[in-house]
Amino acid sequence: MINSNKMISLLEKYKYNISTGVPCAGQKEIIRALTFHPKVLHIIANKESEAIGIAAGTYLAGGKPVVYMQNSGFFNSINDINSLTISYRIPILFLVTWRGCIGENAPQHLENGRLMEDIVNRMNIFTSEINNENCDDAMSSAELFMNKNKLPAVLLIKKRKFL
Amino acid sequence: MKRYDALKIILNIIPDRSPLIISLGLMSRTAHDIKDRSLNFYLTGSMGLTSSIALGIAVKSKETVVAIEGDGSLLMNLSSMATIGDRKPNNLIHILLDNNAYASCNAENTLSKIINFETLAKMVGYQCVNKISNTSMLSSIFSNALKSNQTTFLHIKIEKGEMKETTRIKNLPLITNRFMDFLIKGQHE
């Protein structure tokens, strides 16, 4: 889990100016802040792959997009990440809530949660869990990776508690 | 009208400064073989995302952005029309080339016949909507759309069946680099 003010200040520091995605309760404060941020253009999307398309377009026109989603939506859109953002070298920052890890109470998330780490580690992207302790380093490593390789970065956010 | 005829008219009329996003398969490959340009962004995978990418460019750029996709592609990401209609970029022309088929595959039928795309486009908020059935209509309506400053949807009926000897587009990072070099460099001039 990461403090939403901290996450927003990091996105400000690295000059993100576009946000889109599909909401996840695990990121609700971050999403609310992005939606109303004066320096961030927020675009509502209907599904994760659509958000990736929109974000890719803004990057092609000089924008700096962040895309938020749950890991269920990440799995929905793996083809678009591979065949668009990776194949065309379009760096996008993904904030992905990692449902289905230890403490999960919703059975439908368990299989995605179990596979999450193996799958992102095999993809040609930067991946790190992000939390209050490592967030400055994780974000700075993600930025370095994206700038150098023009490839996406995924920051995984674990939910603090399950209700 | 065939796909080739429609793409040739669009590529002949489109201004040099206008980004053109083209859906995957024969659509991109035919456009590439007719007239390759730096601001042609050829999709090769990520089926359905043509109009979403065009929307992303349109909200960040002052240039008029043109998206061309087939009926299979549009139906795969139909809700993108709601996103575009909500945002209403006045610099976006969304073109559907409809042959009621997955023509880059083996011309299997799509469900495009059961949808009234004009009604749908108007309902979700596109400001200018036209159905086009011949090449002279396409030339005049597309030329006007480029000057209209309205969120535009053009539904073009095309025939099934065309030659398939087209060049495969292989250097995908180059497509991105030259597109951004041309579009973003121009913005600073």
Side-chain angles (χ1 to χ4, degrees):
Chain A
M1 197 69 192
I2 178 160
N3 176 278
S4 61
N5 291 332
K6 184 67 198 171
M7 191 69 236
I8 294 297
S9 71
L10 283 168
L11 293 172
E12 287 167 344
K13 177 181 172 186
Y14 291 104
K15 301 192 171 7
Y16 282 85
N17 53 18
I18 304 283
S19 70
T20 182
V22 176
C24 173
Q27 298 184 55
K28 61 184 176 185
E29 289 91 0
I30 295 170
I31 294 165
R32 189 191 304 125
L34 287 172
T35 306
F36 298 107
H37 198 291
K39 289 186 176 168
V40 177
L41 174 63
H42 178 258
I43 299 173
I44 296 170
N46 302 291
K47 61 180 181 191
E48 294 80 6
S49 55
E50 184 191 3
I52 291 168
I54 294 168
T58 63
Y59 171 78
L60 291 172
K64 192 160 181 191
V66 55
V67 177
Y68 52 82
M69 62 181 65
Q70 193 175 74
N71 56 342
S72 50
F74 185 85
F75 283 119
N76 275 347
S77 50
I78 283 180
N79 169 59
D80 303 298
I81 295 168
N82 286 340
S83 68
L84 178 63
T85 65
I86 293 177
S87 298
Y88 286 80
R89 298 292 186 276
I90 296 176
I92 290 173
L93 180 69
F94 290 93
L95 301 181
V96 180
T97 324
W98 187 356
R99 293 295 304 256
C101 46
I102 293 164
E104 177 63 62
N105 67 346
Q108 71 275 18
H109 289 299
L110 293 176
E111 196 62 9
N112 285 340
R114 183 178 72 79
L115 293 169
M116 190 71 211
E117 208 159 20
D118 284 348
I119 287 180
V120 288
N121 286 339
R122 291 293 298 276
M123 291 173 73
N124 198 5
I125 54 178
F126 173 91
T127 314
S128 171
E129 191 199 330
I130 189 166
N131 53 46
N132 288 330
E133 287 69 47
N134 76 350
C135 58
D136 292 290
D137 288 346
M139 189 75 185
S140 133
S141 303
E143 284 293 317
L144 274 172
F145 177 89
M146 286 190 289
N147 289 335
K148 182 170 171 239
N149 302 297
K150 306 294 178 198
L151 290 167
V154 171
L155 297 176
L156 292 169
I157 299 170
K158 282 185 178 170
K159 242 183 125 176
R160 185 167 41 202
K161 54 185 167 189
F162 295 93
L163 301 168
Chain B
M1 188 177 358
K2 293 192 177 267
R3 178 194 307 111
Y4 183 92
D5 305 323
L7 289 172
K8 193 166 188 182
I9 289 168
I10 291 161
L11 280 158
N12 280 337
I13 294 174
I14 191 168
D16 290 344
R17 296 283 319 144
S18 276
L20 177 63
I21 320 305
I22 313 156
S23 65
L24 73 165
L26 291 175
M27 195 83 81
S28 262
R29 290 162 67 163
T30 305
H32 172 268
D33 288 354
I34 293 171
K35 187 181 183 183
D36 187 32
R37 47 201 285 286
S38 294
L39 288 184
N40 283 3
F41 192 86
Y42 307 106
L43 280 186
T44 53
S46 62
M47 183 165 169
L49 296 191
T50 309
S51 66
S52 301
I53 295 168
L55 173 63
I57 297 168
V59 299
K60 276 303 285 178
S61 171
K62 289 180 181 135
E63 305 296 340
T64 299
V65 182
V66 181
I68 307 181
E69 63 181 333
D71 43 303
S73 169
L74 178 57
L75 286 165
M76 189 176 271
N77 187 15
L78 195 60
S79 55
S80 172
M81 289 182 72
T83 315
I84 292 168
D86 172 59
R87 182 65 46 180
K88 288 186 185 50
N90 66 4
N91 58 339
L92 179 60
I93 301 174
H94 185 181
I95 299 177
L96 166 63
L97 297 190
D98 179 6
N99 57 7
N100 188 231
Y102 292 102
S104 298
C105 196
N106 197 32
E108 298 87 345
N109 282 343
T110 70
L111 296 177
S112 70
K113 274 186 182 165
I114 68 161
I115 297 186
N116 185 325
F117 289 102
E118 292 74 53
T119 305
L120 178 63
K122 283 176 197 160
M123 278 175 65
V124 297
Y126 284 71
Q127 297 155 323
C128 172
V129 177
N130 270 295
K131 187 166 187 174
I132 293 170
S133 51
N134 62 57
T135 51
S136 59
M137 265 181 94
L138 173 56
S139 297
S140 66
I141 290 174
F142 181 56
S143 299
N144 289 336
L146 285 163
K147 293 174 253 166
S148 76
N149 294 320
Q150 289 187 310
T151 314
T152 298
F153 183 79
L154 305 180
H155 180 189
I156 305 174
K157 293 294 291 180
I158 59 168
E159 297 158 38
K160 270 183 214 175
E162 274 189 65
M163 58 106 184
K164 295 197 175 186
E165 283 94 39
T166 49
T167 315
R168 183 173 292 283
I169 296 154
K170 289 191 170 167
N171 191 341
L172 306 183
L174 174 72
I175 303 293
T176 303
N177 285 340
R178 65 178 196 170
F179 183 97
M180 292 182 70
D181 282 350
F182 197 98
L183 183 67
I184 298 169
K185 194 178 155 202
Q187 282 174 352
H188 294 297
E189 276 168 3

